[in-house]
Amino acid sequence: MVVGTVAQPAESEAAYDRSRRLALPVAVAFGLLGVAYRLVLLVNEVPPANSDEATSGLVAMHVAQGREFPLFFYGQHYMGALESYLAAPLFALFGPSTLALRLPNLLLYAAFLALVWQLTRRLYTPWLATVTVGLLALGSDRVLKNQLVSAGGYPEMNPAGVLLVLVAVNLGLAGWTGRRRLFAYAGFGLVAGLTLWDDWLVLPYVGAAGLLLLVVGRRELRGRAGLALGGGLLAGLVPIVAHNLTAAPENRSLASYATLGGDPGASWPDRLHGGILFGLPMGTGFCAPGRCAPWQLWWGVVGPILLVVAGVLAVRALRAGSGVERIRQGGRLVLVVGAALSLIAYATSSAAADTRVESARYLSCLLISFPALLWPLWSAATVPPWSHRSGSARSRRSGSEPGERVRRAGWLRWSARGLLAALVASLAVATGQLVSRVPELGRVADQRRELVSALDRLGVSRFYGEYWTCNNITFQTRERLVCAVIRDDLRAGWDRYLPYRDAVGRAGRPAYVLPAGTALSAAVAGYLGGTGVPVDTTTVAGYDIYRPVARVDLPRR
């Protein structure tokens, strides 16, 4: 009997070790499923392309052709054109297309999963890392748009943020030696600098990771490591510094971001509701396309509570720990602080109240902190039966502090398991809600192709249209058809690439191509009718096509 009582924990610990070794292959399987799911959607042109993404495609096309090398997307002075430069080699090899534009983003997503697994394994446990990858393999409409659509910095922000945190943690844990440490410092500086050019939404994570790096490397940074970090940072800052040195004052970075404030009159209840209760579930994958059902808003309440609990646990363990354990807790705290700052910045903005559905994309970086949000539930739900005997040893091996793996009360354990099950179910349901709409969303591309065929058949190559039509058609036809934007008052609209407006203006008889049944289409029909010029009108693929038999000039500004 004595032998049996001694062998039982040892056998359990051996089983635990075997289980840990399975974590990586299971995570790889989850990751492959996540990549395959997204690849199938890309082939079916889901999410549908739009004119913002088409602008990124046009930049990539011009870069591949050697025509233009812009630092930012056409028509603005913020959000670097990194996605366009990543796609340009594929355009040069295979020609411009939405698929070629998005394939680099798919690779960035795969890198994000790999980096998240490594970071979570270091900071928490291998199986929490695997579960995190499994949850991130799912994807709602909003999450897929952020990860796959090339419309302004979103696909690359999360890999960059996770990479910076992982580098800081690894340097603190002495994960590299010699030259590898210098390269790590230089790489950290380079990526941090590039984020200032690419997209500022990830800055809370950049700042928190940078602070951790300064703490763990405070001695090294006085020597060559500091030079490596500074050199990398200067190299990464080249695009944004070059812009700010040459741009007019009103087009410099701070001035450009200052114009994005929105309506200052938005009420605080609307901001907090749109930013937290609605924004958190919508932005992190809990909602259907374009809407959140009331039951899906539960994450907007539970998520912030878990974030606070994760922060309290990290701070308490940081104070009690020493050495390696303090580095791990510092890394956990970086994830909490990055998420908290991102959530506060968004919830206090007018965008959270004014355009809460589309603006939920500003919370895309919160996926970086998914391990921190899951940890309070995971640690309460997965206490091994031998933890009361060997809690300290097991904590050292799994990366958690001794007090976190003691036996929990039964009600706490089952409550945590219930919330984990609800979380998995919610993400799966939101993914299913997107999958159920794939045929419908795929028809958007079919409609666009039908419109292009009709324009070719009618001999239309230069035309006026609304913003969400113009660059989309211009990119899809590789500039064979060129469109200029008009507003509801028929005056020139937001043409991101002004040469297109000039090309349409020089056309002998430009057409007008507008969504059928819209106020703009009715305004154009009325204006053309008042000129006395005969007009051929065709409706196809949900668009009204007006072709005056003679040139009709639009109202001047």
Side-chain angles (χ1 to χ4, degrees), residues 47-58 98 101-102 105 148-151 468 475:
N50 60 40
S51 276
D52 281 346
E53 184 178 30
T55 301
S56 178
L58 291 167
T98 301
L101 181 61
R102 292 178 174 182
N105 300 338
L148 300 179
V149 174
S150 294
W468 295 109
F475 171 64

Side-chain angles (χ1 to χ4, degrees), residues 28 89 121 161 232 266 285 339 346 395 463 474 484 499 529 537 547 553:
V28 170
R121 181 182 67 87
Y346 176 61
S395 297
F463 62 93
T474 301
T537 303
R547 292 178 296 139
D553 291 322

Side-chain angles (χ1 to χ4, degrees), residues 433-455:
Q433 289 172 321
L434 171 61
V435 171
S436 67
R437 292 191 58 189
V438 166
E440 172 193 346
L441 296 172
R443 284 194 290 272
V444 174
D446 295 335
Q447 183 184 40
R448 186 186 62 240
R449 284 188 285 268
E450 184 181 353
L451 175 62
V452 170
S453 296
L455 294 174

Side-chain angles (χ1 to χ4, degrees), residues 210-289:
L211 183 59
L212 177 63
L213 184 73
L214 293 177
V215 171
V216 302
R218 56 188 178 276
R219 294 180 180 176
E220 282 184 300
L221 290 173
R222 298 172 185 172
R224 291 190 301 168
L227 293 176
L229 177 64
L233 182 62
L234 289 176
L237 290 173
V238 165
I240 193 70
V241 170
H243 167 71
N244 283 286
L245 289 177
T246 58
E250 66 273 15
N251 294 332
R252 291 172 186 166
S253 298
L254 291 177
S256 295
Y257 278 102
T259 63
L260 305 177
D263 177 18
S267 69
W268 281 103
D270 287 343
R271 295 185 191 207
L272 296 177
H273 179 273
I276 299 177
L277 185 63
F278 179 90
L280 188 57
M282 173 59 77
T284 54
F286 286 75
C287 295

Side-chain angles (χ1 to χ4, degrees), residues 132-155:
T132 301
V133 169
L135 294 176
L136 294 175
L138 299 169
S140 69
D141 174 69
R142 180 68 269 161
V143 167
L144 266 292
K145 286 177 178 176
N146 293 339
Q147 292 174 344
L148 300 179
V149 174
S150 294
Y154 299 99

Side-chain angles (χ1 to χ4, degrees), residues 295-309:
W295 69 268
Q296 291 172 315
L297 298 179
W298 71 273
W299 183 242
V301 176
V302 174
I305 294 174
L306 292 175
L307 190 64
V308 171
V309 173

